[in-house]
Short mmCIF file of all heavy atoms in Angstrom, two decimals:
data_model
loop_
_atom_site.label_atom_id
_atom_site.label_comp_id
_atom_site.label_asym_id
_atom_site.label_seq_id
_atom_site.Cartn_x
_atom_site.Cartn_y
_atom_site.Cartn_z
N ALA D 481 90.80 75.83 86.59
CA ALA D 481 89.91 76.55 87.51
C ALA D 481 89.46 75.67 88.67
O ALA D 481 88.27 75.40 88.84
CB ALA D 481 88.70 77.10 86.75
N PRO D 482 90.41 75.21 89.48
CA PRO D 482 90.04 74.36 90.62
C PRO D 482 89.32 75.16 91.70
O PRO D 482 89.37 76.39 91.70
CB PRO D 482 91.40 73.89 91.15
CG PRO D 482 92.34 74.99 90.80
CD PRO D 482 91.85 75.53 89.47
N HIS D 483 88.65 74.47 92.59
CA HIS D 483 88.05 75.11 93.76
C HIS D 483 89.15 75.50 94.74
O HIS D 483 90.18 74.84 94.81
CB HIS D 483 87.09 74.13 94.44
CG HIS D 483 85.93 73.75 93.57
ND1 HIS D 483 84.84 74.56 93.41
CD2 HIS D 483 85.71 72.65 92.80
CE1 HIS D 483 83.98 73.97 92.59
NE2 HIS D 483 84.49 72.81 92.20
N ARG D 484 88.90 76.59 95.48
CA ARG D 484 89.92 77.06 96.42
C ARG D 484 89.35 77.23 97.81
O ARG D 484 88.31 77.85 97.98
CB ARG D 484 90.44 78.44 96.01
CG ARG D 484 91.12 78.49 94.69
CD ARG D 484 90.48 79.58 93.87
NE ARG D 484 90.35 79.11 92.50
CZ ARG D 484 90.12 79.90 91.48
NH1 ARG D 484 89.99 81.18 91.64
NH2 ARG D 484 89.99 79.37 90.28
N LEU D 485 90.07 76.69 98.76
CA LEU D 485 89.72 76.92 100.16
C LEU D 485 90.96 77.46 100.84
O LEU D 485 92.02 76.83 100.80
CB LEU D 485 89.31 75.59 100.81
CG LEU D 485 89.00 75.67 102.30
CD1 LEU D 485 87.76 76.51 102.55
CD2 LEU D 485 88.80 74.27 102.88
N VAL D 486 90.86 78.65 101.40
CA VAL D 486 92.01 79.17 102.12
C VAL D 486 91.65 79.27 103.60
O VAL D 486 90.51 79.55 103.95
CB VAL D 486 92.49 80.52 101.56
CG1 VAL D 486 92.93 80.39 100.12
CG2 VAL D 486 91.42 81.59 101.67
N MET D 487 92.63 79.00 104.43
CA MET D 487 92.34 78.97 105.87
C MET D 487 93.23 79.98 106.59
O MET D 487 94.38 80.16 106.21
CB MET D 487 92.63 77.58 106.42
CG MET D 487 91.92 76.50 105.61
SD MET D 487 91.73 74.98 106.52
CE MET D 487 93.38 74.35 106.52
N SER D 488 92.68 80.59 107.59
CA SER D 488 93.47 81.55 108.33
C SER D 488 93.11 81.53 109.80
O SER D 488 91.95 81.48 110.16
CB SER D 488 93.25 82.95 107.78
OG SER D 488 93.85 83.88 108.64
N ALA D 489 94.13 81.55 110.63
CA ALA D 489 93.89 81.59 112.07
C ALA D 489 94.11 82.99 112.60
O ALA D 489 94.08 83.22 113.79
CB ALA D 489 94.82 80.62 112.79
N THR D 490 94.35 83.94 111.70
CA THR D 490 94.51 85.30 112.15
C THR D 490 93.14 85.94 112.16
O THR D 490 92.62 86.30 111.13
CB THR D 490 95.41 86.10 111.18
OG1 THR D 490 96.56 85.33 110.93
CG2 THR D 490 95.79 87.42 111.78
N PRO D 491 92.53 86.03 113.32
CA PRO D 491 91.20 86.61 113.34
C PRO D 491 91.31 88.06 112.92
O PRO D 491 92.21 88.77 113.34
CB PRO D 491 90.78 86.50 114.80
CG PRO D 491 91.77 85.61 115.44
CD PRO D 491 93.03 85.74 114.66
N ILE D 492 90.42 88.48 112.08
CA ILE D 492 90.50 89.82 111.55
C ILE D 492 89.19 90.53 111.85
O ILE D 492 88.13 89.97 111.65
CB ILE D 492 90.73 89.76 110.04
CG1 ILE D 492 92.11 89.18 109.79
CG2 ILE D 492 90.61 91.14 109.41
CD1 ILE D 492 92.34 88.84 108.37
N PRO D 493 89.29 91.74 112.37
CA PRO D 493 88.06 92.50 112.59
C PRO D 493 87.25 92.50 111.29
O PRO D 493 87.82 92.58 110.21
CB PRO D 493 88.56 93.90 112.92
CG PRO D 493 89.94 93.69 113.43
CD PRO D 493 90.48 92.50 112.73
N ARG D 494 85.93 92.46 111.45
CA ARG D 494 85.07 92.27 110.31
C ARG D 494 85.32 93.26 109.17
O ARG D 494 85.47 92.89 108.02
CB ARG D 494 83.61 92.39 110.76
CG ARG D 494 82.65 91.58 109.97
CD ARG D 494 81.23 91.87 110.41
NE ARG D 494 80.60 92.80 109.48
CZ ARG D 494 80.10 92.43 108.31
NH1 ARG D 494 80.15 91.17 107.95
NH2 ARG D 494 79.57 93.31 107.52
N THR D 495 85.40 94.52 109.53
CA THR D 495 85.56 95.54 108.50
C THR D 495 86.84 95.31 107.72
O THR D 495 86.88 95.37 106.50
CB THR D 495 85.68 96.94 109.13
OG1 THR D 495 84.95 96.94 110.32
CG2 THR D 495 85.24 97.97 108.18
N LEU D 496 87.89 95.03 108.46
CA LEU D 496 89.18 94.82 107.82
C LEU D 496 89.13 93.56 106.96
O LEU D 496 89.69 93.50 105.88
CB LEU D 496 90.23 94.68 108.92
CG LEU D 496 91.65 94.93 108.54
CD1 LEU D 496 91.78 96.27 107.85
CD2 LEU D 496 92.52 94.92 109.79
N GLY D 497 88.40 92.57 107.46
CA GLY D 497 88.26 91.32 106.72
C GLY D 497 87.65 91.56 105.35
O GLY D 497 88.09 91.02 104.35
N LEU D 498 86.65 92.44 105.33
CA LEU D 498 86.01 92.73 104.05
C LEU D 498 86.96 93.46 103.10
O LEU D 498 86.91 93.26 101.90
CB LEU D 498 84.75 93.57 104.27
CG LEU D 498 83.56 92.76 104.78
CD1 LEU D 498 82.44 93.69 105.21
CD2 LEU D 498 83.06 91.81 103.71
N VAL D 499 87.80 94.29 103.67
CA VAL D 499 88.77 94.99 102.82
C VAL D 499 89.78 94.01 102.25
O VAL D 499 90.13 94.03 101.08
CB VAL D 499 89.51 96.08 103.62
CG1 VAL D 499 90.58 96.72 102.75
CG2 VAL D 499 88.55 97.12 104.12
N LEU D 500 90.24 93.14 103.12
CA LEU D 500 91.31 92.23 102.71
C LEU D 500 90.80 91.08 101.85
O LEU D 500 91.46 90.65 100.93
CB LEU D 500 91.95 91.61 103.95
CG LEU D 500 92.93 92.48 104.68
CD1 LEU D 500 93.44 91.74 105.90
CD2 LEU D 500 94.07 92.83 103.76
N TYR D 501 89.63 90.60 102.20
CA TYR D 501 89.16 89.38 101.58
C TYR D 501 87.84 89.58 100.86
O TYR D 501 87.04 88.67 100.76
CB TYR D 501 89.00 88.28 102.63
CG TYR D 501 90.27 87.99 103.36
CD1 TYR D 501 90.34 88.11 104.74
CD2 TYR D 501 91.41 87.59 102.67
CE1 TYR D 501 91.51 87.84 105.41
CE2 TYR D 501 92.59 87.33 103.33
CZ TYR D 501 92.63 87.46 104.71
OH TYR D 501 93.79 87.19 105.37
N GLY D 502 87.63 90.81 100.37
CA GLY D 502 86.39 91.11 99.68
C GLY D 502 86.12 90.19 98.51
O GLY D 502 84.99 90.04 98.08
N ASP D 503 87.18 89.56 97.98
CA ASP D 503 86.97 88.69 96.83
C ASP D 503 86.64 87.26 97.24
O ASP D 503 86.52 86.38 96.43
CB ASP D 503 88.20 88.71 95.92
CG ASP D 503 89.47 88.30 96.65
OD1 ASP D 503 89.51 88.45 97.89
OD2 ASP D 503 90.40 87.81 95.99
N LEU D 504 86.52 87.03 98.54
CA LEU D 504 86.27 85.67 99.01
C LEU D 504 84.93 85.57 99.75
O LEU D 504 84.47 86.53 100.33
CB LEU D 504 87.37 85.24 100.00
CG LEU D 504 88.80 85.28 99.50
CD1 LEU D 504 89.74 84.97 100.66
CD2 LEU D 504 89.01 84.28 98.38
N ASP D 505 84.35 84.37 99.71
CA ASP D 505 83.25 84.09 100.63
C ASP D 505 83.87 83.67 101.94
O ASP D 505 84.90 82.99 101.96
CB ASP D 505 82.38 82.95 100.08
CG ASP D 505 81.70 83.37 98.80
OD1 ASP D 505 81.08 84.44 98.79
OD2 ASP D 505 81.78 82.63 97.80
N ILE D 506 83.25 84.06 103.03
CA ILE D 506 83.90 83.80 104.31
C ILE D 506 83.06 82.89 105.20
O ILE D 506 81.86 83.08 105.34
CB ILE D 506 84.17 85.13 105.05
CG1 ILE D 506 85.07 86.02 104.18
CG2 ILE D 506 84.82 84.88 106.40
CD1 ILE D 506 85.46 87.34 104.81
N THR D 507 83.72 81.86 105.73
CA THR D 507 83.09 81.04 106.75
C THR D 507 83.90 81.22 108.03
O THR D 507 85.12 81.16 107.99
CB THR D 507 83.14 79.54 106.37
OG1 THR D 507 82.40 79.36 105.18
CG2 THR D 507 82.57 78.68 107.48
N ILE D 508 83.20 81.45 109.12
CA ILE D 508 83.93 81.64 110.38
C ILE D 508 83.62 80.50 111.34
O ILE D 508 82.46 80.18 111.59
CB ILE D 508 83.57 83.00 111.01
CG1 ILE D 508 84.08 84.12 110.10
CG2 ILE D 508 84.18 83.13 112.39
CD1 ILE D 508 83.77 85.52 110.58
N LEU D 509 84.66 79.86 111.84
CA LEU D 509 84.47 78.86 112.91
C LEU D 509 84.47 79.63 114.23
O LEU D 509 85.51 79.99 114.74
CB LEU D 509 85.61 77.84 112.91
CG LEU D 509 85.71 76.87 111.73
CD1 LEU D 509 86.86 75.88 111.96
CD2 LEU D 509 84.42 76.11 111.53
N ASP D 510 83.27 79.88 114.73
CA ASP D 510 83.19 80.75 115.90
C ASP D 510 82.94 79.95 117.17
O ASP D 510 82.29 80.40 118.09
CB ASP D 510 82.08 81.79 115.70
CG ASP D 510 80.77 81.14 115.30
OD1 ASP D 510 80.73 79.88 115.27
OD2 ASP D 510 79.80 81.85 115.03
N GLU D 511 83.45 78.76 117.18
CA GLU D 511 83.18 77.88 118.31
C GLU D 511 84.39 76.97 118.51
O GLU D 511 84.92 76.42 117.54
CB GLU D 511 81.96 77.04 117.94
CG GLU D 511 81.43 76.14 118.98
CD GLU D 511 80.30 75.26 118.42
OE1 GLU D 511 79.95 75.40 117.22
OE2 GLU D 511 79.82 74.41 119.16
N LEU D 512 84.83 76.83 119.74
CA LEU D 512 85.94 75.92 119.98
C LEU D 512 85.37 74.56 120.36
O LEU D 512 84.25 74.46 120.85
CB LEU D 512 86.81 76.44 121.12
CG LEU D 512 87.58 77.74 120.86
CD1 LEU D 512 88.42 78.11 122.06
CD2 LEU D 512 88.47 77.60 119.63
N PRO D 513 86.13 73.48 120.10
CA PRO D 513 85.66 72.16 120.52
C PRO D 513 85.31 72.18 122.01
O PRO D 513 85.91 72.91 122.79
CB PRO D 513 86.87 71.27 120.27
CG PRO D 513 87.60 71.93 119.16
CD PRO D 513 87.38 73.39 119.35
N LYS D 514 84.31 71.38 122.37
CA LYS D 514 83.85 71.34 123.75
C LYS D 514 84.97 70.95 124.70
O LYS D 514 85.96 70.37 124.30
CB LYS D 514 82.72 70.32 123.88
CG LYS D 514 81.36 70.94 123.64
CD LYS D 514 80.28 69.89 123.87
CE LYS D 514 79.43 69.76 122.63
NZ LYS D 514 79.29 68.52 122.01
N ASN D 515 84.80 71.28 125.94
CA ASN D 515 85.73 70.90 127.00
C ASN D 515 87.10 71.55 126.88
O ASN D 515 88.03 71.17 127.56
CB ASN D 515 85.95 69.37 127.05
CG ASN D 515 84.65 68.63 127.10
OD1 ASN D 515 83.66 69.14 127.64
ND2 ASN D 515 84.62 67.46 126.52
N ARG D 516 87.21 72.52 126.01
CA ARG D 516 88.47 73.27 125.98
C ARG D 516 88.50 74.20 127.17
O ARG D 516 87.55 74.92 127.43
CB ARG D 516 88.54 74.15 124.73
CG ARG D 516 89.05 73.50 123.49
CD ARG D 516 90.53 73.30 123.47
NE ARG D 516 90.83 72.18 122.58
CZ ARG D 516 90.82 72.29 121.27
NH1 ARG D 516 90.60 73.44 120.72
NH2 ARG D 516 91.07 71.24 120.53
N LEU D 517 89.61 74.21 127.89
CA LEU D 517 89.73 75.11 129.02
C LEU D 517 90.44 76.37 128.57
O LEU D 517 91.36 76.31 127.76
CB LEU D 517 90.56 74.43 130.12
CG LEU D 517 89.94 73.16 130.71
CD1 LEU D 517 90.98 72.37 131.47
CD2 LEU D 517 88.77 73.54 131.60
N ALA D 518 90.01 77.52 129.09
CA ALA D 518 90.71 78.76 128.76
C ALA D 518 92.13 78.68 129.30
O ALA D 518 92.36 78.12 130.37
CB ALA D 518 89.97 79.93 129.38
N ILE D 519 93.06 79.22 128.56
CA ILE D 519 94.46 79.19 128.99
C ILE D 519 94.66 80.28 130.04
O ILE D 519 94.38 81.45 129.77
CB ILE D 519 95.39 79.45 127.79
CG1 ILE D 519 95.14 78.41 126.71
CG2 ILE D 519 96.85 79.46 128.22
CD1 ILE D 519 95.62 78.81 125.34
N GLU D 520 95.12 79.89 131.21
CA GLU D 520 95.36 80.92 132.23
C GLU D 520 96.62 81.69 131.87
O GLU D 520 97.68 81.10 131.66
CB GLU D 520 95.51 80.26 133.60
CG GLU D 520 94.17 79.87 134.18
CD GLU D 520 94.28 79.38 135.61
OE1 GLU D 520 95.19 79.85 136.34
OE2 GLU D 520 93.49 78.51 135.99
N THR D 521 96.49 83.01 131.82
CA THR D 521 97.60 83.83 131.34
C THR D 521 98.00 84.87 132.37
O THR D 521 97.16 85.49 133.00
CB THR D 521 97.18 84.54 130.04
OG1 THR D 521 96.68 83.57 129.12
CG2 THR D 521 98.34 85.27 129.41
N PHE D 522 99.31 85.01 132.57
CA PHE D 522 99.83 85.99 133.53
C PHE D 522 100.91 86.82 132.88
O PHE D 522 101.61 86.34 132.01
CB PHE D 522 100.49 85.28 134.73
CG PHE D 522 99.70 84.15 135.28
CD1 PHE D 522 99.91 82.85 134.84
CD2 PHE D 522 98.73 84.39 136.25
CE1 PHE D 522 99.18 81.80 135.35
CE2 PHE D 522 97.99 83.34 136.76
CZ PHE D 522 98.21 82.03 136.32
N ALA D 523 101.05 88.06 133.33
CA ALA D 523 102.17 88.89 132.90
C ALA D 523 103.04 89.19 134.10
O ALA D 523 102.54 89.59 135.15
CB ALA D 523 101.66 90.18 132.28
N VAL D 524 104.33 88.95 133.98
CA VAL D 524 105.24 89.19 135.11
C VAL D 524 106.51 89.88 134.64
O VAL D 524 106.78 89.94 133.44
CB VAL D 524 105.64 87.86 135.81
CG1 VAL D 524 104.42 87.12 136.31
CG2 VAL D 524 106.47 86.99 134.87
#
Side-chain angles (χ1 to χ4, degrees):
H483 297 280
R484 298 127 221 196
L485 177 66
V486 298
M487 308 201 287
S488 170
T490 312
I492 294 169
R494 210 185 100 80
T495 330
L496 201 53
L498 283 170
V499 176
L500 281 178
Y501 302 122
D503 57 335
L504 302 174
D505 294 310
I506 301 182
T507 297
I508 295 178
L509 292 183
D510 52 4
E511 185 186 359
L512 293 181
K514 270 183 237 123
N515 309 329
R516 275 284 155 78
L517 297 164
I519 302 160
E520 283 187 31
T521 307
F522 315 93
V524 301

